[in-house]
Amino acid sequence: MDRWLNSLEETARQALAVPLFRYLSQGARDGTTASEAHAAWAEFRLLPHVLRDVTEIDTRTTVLGTELTCPVAVAPTTLQRAVHPDGELAMARATAATGSLVVVSSNAGTPFADIGATGADWWLQVYLSADRTLSEPLLASAVAAGAKALVLTVDTPVVGTKYDGAGPTVWETTDPAILRVNAEPDLSEAPGAEKATDLGPHDIGWLAETTGLPVVVKGVLRPDDARRCVQAGAAGIWVSNHGGRQLDRSVSTAAALAPVAEAVGSEAEVYVDGGVRSGLDVVTALSLGARAVFLGRLPLYALVGGESAVQRMLTDLQDELVDALRLSGCRHLGDTRGLAVRGPLTGL
Ligand code: FNR
């Protein structure tokens, strides 16, 4: 039996133009963090329970009050309409069909109103501009289209350097009409439109007040930063290194998760992304303190096959999670606490 999920990256590599696939898959600088992300989850081993009734497995949870059938959701990524003409719409419909949730990039190529009209549960990811007020029209249109939360990405004061080698870059080959369509009016050339390099905890409160929505902070790796976010009113802490696309050599999210979750306690929800590719990765993340995990590249690679392929990807992952939970003696997600132990060969 072959694992279909394993074929998605290679299928995408073959189907997509070279600059586009390179953009999706690449990491910053030497690609060290990007290449370590998945292996870091397999640094853990699982200590399963036995003699427990695992006839019925319950994978349901909530994120900021929204019900999910399974604690797996879709992270924000750009260029979805370059991967497939249906882009964000396919992603939203697939998450709606599977009872998941999608986070929409502020650079999305689909109007927020169209995403909202799919009926999907969605959050908006934002980068704030140096002049915060220039972000307000985008925020207002997301609120109007039914975004349920805001995800403030804080690991990108500047875009991490990536090496493209020979040939055109993705930006030279992509139709600008499928980028940032929600920036209305287009203020990208206005003074102060560049990404803010002075983000601080006060921006969390500002965002919450401006929109009336809960704010999740994405890109936290340190417990002390997580505490600052919680004290500033963050509803969620999202452990992420941006898929290894920002600071190369930053620690894996698998390593960063447990200390952050411990520092946050029950004061906010904790999520994680980065290299999650299987049900075993998900169960490990849950055990280390994540309430839900997010996927970046996996749904992008699946999107090559459109909505049905994204749906299958999410369903397969859920099936793998059920299998991992059953074999671990866990009926509910909360039973996973203490399941993951560090070090493949070190025992206890
Ligand atoms: C991203 N990511 C990202 N994050 C964000 O906050 N806003 C964005 O617009 C994007 N865009 C984006 C494009 C592409 C092509 C990739 C691969 C990633 C980061 C993303 O949300 C997530 O943190 C990582 O992708 C998670 O790692 P995996 O699942 O890709 O290993």
PDB file of all heavy atoms in Angstrom, residues 22 26-30 161-165:
ATOM      1  N   ARG A  22       9.520  26.172  -6.792  1.00  0.00           N
ATOM      2  CA  ARG A  22      10.668  26.566  -5.966  1.00  0.00           C
ATOM      3  C   ARG A  22      10.206  27.507  -4.854  1.00  0.00           C
ATOM      4  O   ARG A  22      10.603  27.371  -3.692  1.00  0.00           O
ATOM      5  CB  ARG A  22      11.723  27.249  -6.840  1.00  0.00           C
ATOM      6  CG  ARG A  22      12.971  27.670  -6.084  1.00  0.00           C
ATOM      7  CD  ARG A  22      14.000  28.238  -7.039  1.00  0.00           C
ATOM      8  NE  ARG A  22      13.449  29.334  -7.816  1.00  0.00           N
ATOM      9  CZ  ARG A  22      13.792  29.631  -9.073  1.00  0.00           C
ATOM     10  NH1 ARG A  22      14.687  28.908  -9.707  1.00  0.00           N
ATOM     11  NH2 ARG A  22      13.234  30.649  -9.691  1.00  0.00           N
ATOM     12  N   GLN A  26      10.798  26.377  -0.977  1.00  0.00           N
ATOM     13  CA  GLN A  26      12.089  26.855  -0.489  1.00  0.00           C
ATOM     14  C   GLN A  26      12.022  27.371   0.958  1.00  0.00           C
ATOM     15  O   GLN A  26      10.969  27.715   1.488  1.00  0.00           O
ATOM     16  CB  GLN A  26      12.636  27.956  -1.398  1.00  0.00           C
ATOM     17  CG  GLN A  26      11.878  29.246  -1.346  1.00  0.00           C
ATOM     18  CD  GLN A  26      12.250  30.233  -2.446  1.00  0.00           C
ATOM     19  OE1 GLN A  26      11.502  31.141  -2.693  1.00  0.00           O
ATOM     20  NE2 GLN A  26      13.372  30.091  -3.105  1.00  0.00           N
ATOM     21  N   GLY A  27      13.208  27.399   1.577  1.00  0.00           N
ATOM     22  CA  GLY A  27      13.368  28.029   2.882  1.00  0.00           C
ATOM     23  C   GLY A  27      14.286  29.227   2.719  1.00  0.00           C
ATOM     24  O   GLY A  27      14.811  29.488   1.629  1.00  0.00           O
ATOM     25  N   ALA A  28      14.487  29.972   3.792  1.00  0.00           N
ATOM     26  CA  ALA A  28      15.380  31.132   3.736  1.00  0.00           C
ATOM     27  C   ALA A  28      16.836  30.669   3.788  1.00  0.00           C
ATOM     28  O   ALA A  28      17.155  29.601   4.323  1.00  0.00           O
ATOM     29  CB  ALA A  28      15.095  32.061   4.915  1.00  0.00           C
ATOM     30  N   ARG A  29      17.718  31.481   3.208  1.00  0.00           N
ATOM     31  CA  ARG A  29      19.173  31.275   3.264  1.00  0.00           C
ATOM     32  C   ARG A  29      19.562  29.840   2.892  1.00  0.00           C
ATOM     33  O   ARG A  29      19.266  29.382   1.840  1.00  0.00           O
ATOM     34  CB  ARG A  29      19.705  31.664   4.652  1.00  0.00           C
ATOM     35  CG  ARG A  29      19.486  33.133   4.983  1.00  0.00           C
ATOM     36  CD  ARG A  29      20.370  34.034   4.152  1.00  0.00           C
ATOM     37  NE  ARG A  29      20.138  35.450   4.462  1.00  0.00           N
ATOM     38  CZ  ARG A  29      20.719  36.445   3.808  1.00  0.00           C
ATOM     39  NH1 ARG A  29      21.536  36.202   2.808  1.00  0.00           N
ATOM     40  NH2 ARG A  29      20.460  37.705   4.121  1.00  0.00           N
ATOM     41  N   ASP A  30      20.197  29.093   3.826  1.00  0.00           N
ATOM     42  CA  ASP A  30      20.657  27.740   3.499  1.00  0.00           C
ATOM     43  C   ASP A  30      19.546  26.691   3.579  1.00  0.00           C
ATOM     44  O   ASP A  30      19.780  25.518   3.300  1.00  0.00           O
ATOM     45  CB  ASP A  30      21.771  27.302   4.461  1.00  0.00           C
ATOM     46  CG  ASP A  30      22.980  28.219   4.382  1.00  0.00           C
ATOM     47  OD1 ASP A  30      23.238  28.772   3.293  1.00  0.00           O
ATOM     48  OD2 ASP A  30      23.660  28.388   5.413  1.00  0.00           O
ATOM     49  N   THR A 161      15.548  36.295   3.166  1.00  0.00           N
ATOM     50  CA  THR A 161      16.210  36.151   1.859  1.00  0.00           C
ATOM     51  C   THR A 161      16.180  34.697   1.392  1.00  0.00           C
ATOM     52  O   THR A 161      16.487  33.778   2.149  1.00  0.00           O
ATOM     53  CB  THR A 161      17.675  36.623   1.963  1.00  0.00           C
ATOM     54  OG1 THR A 161      17.663  38.004   2.312  1.00  0.00           O
ATOM     55  CG2 THR A 161      18.416  36.425   0.639  1.00  0.00           C
ATOM     56  N   LYS A 162      15.773  34.531   0.139  1.00  0.00           N
ATOM     57  CA  LYS A 162      15.764  33.199  -0.475  1.00  0.00           C
ATOM     58  C   LYS A 162      16.534  33.286  -1.778  1.00  0.00           C
ATOM     59  O   LYS A 162      16.498  34.320  -2.448  1.00  0.00           O
ATOM     60  CB  LYS A 162      14.333  32.734  -0.704  1.00  0.00           C
ATOM     61  CG  LYS A 162      13.556  32.683   0.602  1.00  0.00           C
ATOM     62  CD  LYS A 162      12.066  32.548   0.415  1.00  0.00           C
ATOM     63  CE  LYS A 162      11.321  32.813   1.712  1.00  0.00           C
ATOM     64  NZ  LYS A 162      11.024  34.255   1.954  1.00  0.00           N
ATOM     65  N   TYR A 163      17.245  32.215  -2.106  1.00  0.00           N
ATOM     66  CA  TYR A 163      18.071  32.209  -3.313  1.00  0.00           C
ATOM     67  C   TYR A 163      17.332  31.490  -4.422  1.00  0.00           C
ATOM     68  O   TYR A 163      16.914  30.345  -4.263  1.00  0.00           O
ATOM     69  CB  TYR A 163      19.420  31.553  -3.006  1.00  0.00           C
ATOM     70  CG  TYR A 163      20.174  32.279  -1.916  1.00  0.00           C
ATOM     71  CD1 TYR A 163      20.457  31.666  -0.700  1.00  0.00           C
ATOM     72  CD2 TYR A 163      20.561  33.610  -2.094  1.00  0.00           C
ATOM     73  CE1 TYR A 163      21.131  32.348   0.303  1.00  0.00           C
ATOM     74  CE2 TYR A 163      21.233  34.297  -1.090  1.00  0.00           C
ATOM     75  CZ  TYR A 163      21.518  33.657   0.105  1.00  0.00           C
ATOM     76  OH  TYR A 163      22.169  34.337   1.100  1.00  0.00           O
ATOM     77  N   ASP A 164      17.171  32.195  -5.536  1.00  0.00           N
ATOM     78  CA  ASP A 164      16.358  31.652  -6.616  1.00  0.00           C
ATOM     79  C   ASP A 164      17.171  31.031  -7.747  1.00  0.00           C
ATOM     80  O   ASP A 164      16.601  30.407  -8.640  1.00  0.00           O
ATOM     81  CB  ASP A 164      15.448  32.745  -7.190  1.00  0.00           C
ATOM     82  CG  ASP A 164      14.317  33.067  -6.232  1.00  0.00           C
ATOM     83  OD1 ASP A 164      13.890  32.148  -5.513  1.00  0.00           O
ATOM     84  OD2 ASP A 164      13.890  34.226  -6.180  1.00  0.00           O
ATOM     85  N   GLY A 165      18.495  31.216  -7.732  1.00  0.00           N
ATOM     86  CA  GLY A 165      19.297  30.621  -8.796  1.00  0.00           C
ATOM     87  C   GLY A 165      18.983  31.248 -10.141  1.00  0.00           C
ATOM     88  O   GLY A 165      18.542  32.395 -10.229  1.00  0.00           O
TER      89      GLY A 165
END
